[in-house]
Structure formats: structure tokens, C-alpha cells
Amino acid sequence: GHHEGRQGRLPAAREVRRRHGAREGGGRQGRGEAEAALGEAEAARSAAEAQEAEAKRQRDELKAAGPQAKENVRLARAAEKEATTERQSLHTACSKVEKEKNQLEEAKNSAVQMLQAEEYDPNQVEKAYDQKNQGD
């Protein structure tokens, strides 16, 4: 897991410090370099600690947000489902209206045709009837 990795980083920083401390005894390296190395090691350690704290904070936030996230996902899914249902029923309603409109249109057209026919020739229906019967 990531526990070993985290633990591994901190002793490494201590190791650096010890090594530089030992070398400092040689005198020739000078204190400045050892102190710089020590500073680096400290910086590395506090960076690692900050990273760990941040990771822990994020984990806690996620843990706390978990139920809320699940709820959000549930709500989003429900909303999506609702939208789909709504769209389908709207589609059905539109189709129905469209069909009724077409039927009305047809009815209107045939009514207009009948009126026109009557206007043009009041006897047309009778004529058609006669023609049909003459065929016998």
C-alpha cells in the first residue's frame, strides 16, 4: 500500500542529515554546505509531511463527500430519467397533435373540395349518380 512509501520518505531525509553531519566533522567541507543540505532535508521532510496532510485532508473530504456524491449521482440519474420520460411523452403528444392536425387538414380539404364542387356545379352529384347508373 502507500503506507510504506510514506514512511520510506521520512527516514531518507534523516539519513541525508546524518550523512552530512558526519562529513561536517571533516571540517574541510565547511559548515555552510552541511547546513544547506540539512535545510534541504528539512524542506523535503516538511514537504512530505504537507503532502501527507493534504492527502489525508482530501481523503477525509472524499469520505465526507461520499454519501453526498452518491446522492448527487442518484439525483442526476433520476433527473435524466425524468427528462427522458418527459421527452418521450412530449414526443407522443406531438405525434398525436400532428396526427390530429393532419386529420383536420384532410377534413378541411375535403370539405373545401365538396363546397367548391357544389359551387361550381350544384348538379354534379346528381350527374355522377346518373352516369354511374347509365353504365348498367
Side-chain angles (χ1 to χ4, degrees):
H2 43 242
H3 285 295
E4 305 99 83
R6 221 161 48 203
Q7 242 71 55
R9 219 178 308 166
L10 304 186
R14 281 193 207 110
E15 182 59 43
V16 168
R17 203 185 321 171
R18 212 173 50 227
R19 222 172 34 229
H20 277 284
R23 209 162 56 175
E24 196 188 334
R28 245 171 54 108
Q29 290 289 339
R31 279 186 68 82
E33 200 178 311
E35 266 168 22
L38 183 65
E40 266 173 51
E42 286 292 339
R45 194 186 64 171
S46 57
E49 278 169 7
Q51 218 173 353
E52 184 182 355
E54 176 65 14
K56 212 178 272 178
R57 190 182 62 75
Q58 280 181 342
R59 197 184 57 205
D60 290 346
E61 261 178 39
L62 279 175
K63 222 187 279 177
Q68 185 56 46
K70 274 195 197 125
E71 178 66 6
N72 287 347
V73 167
R74 198 181 63 73
L75 289 173
R77 282 215 185 107
E80 194 181 338
K81 202 167 156 192
E82 208 173 296
T84 303
T85 308
E86 182 119 345
R87 188 172 48 99
Q88 282 168 347
S89 67
L90 271 174
H91 180 74
T92 306
C94 286
S95 299
K96 217 164 79 182
V97 168
E98 196 68 29
K99 211 155 94 186
E100 283 169 15
K101 207 176 77 181
N102 287 344
Q103 284 171 350
L104 269 174
E105 203 66 31
E106 280 170 32
K108 200 174 71 183
N109 285 346
S110 58
V112 166
Q113 278 169 354
M114 276 168 70
L115 281 172
Q116 281 173 345
E118 280 172 29
E119 266 173 48
Y120 290 142
D121 185 357
N123 302 321
Q124 193 176 17
V125 176
E126 279 173 45
K127 268 194 194 151
Y129 185 75
D130 287 345
Q131 278 173 349
K132 205 170 127 195
N133 287 349
Q134 276 168 8
D136 287 343

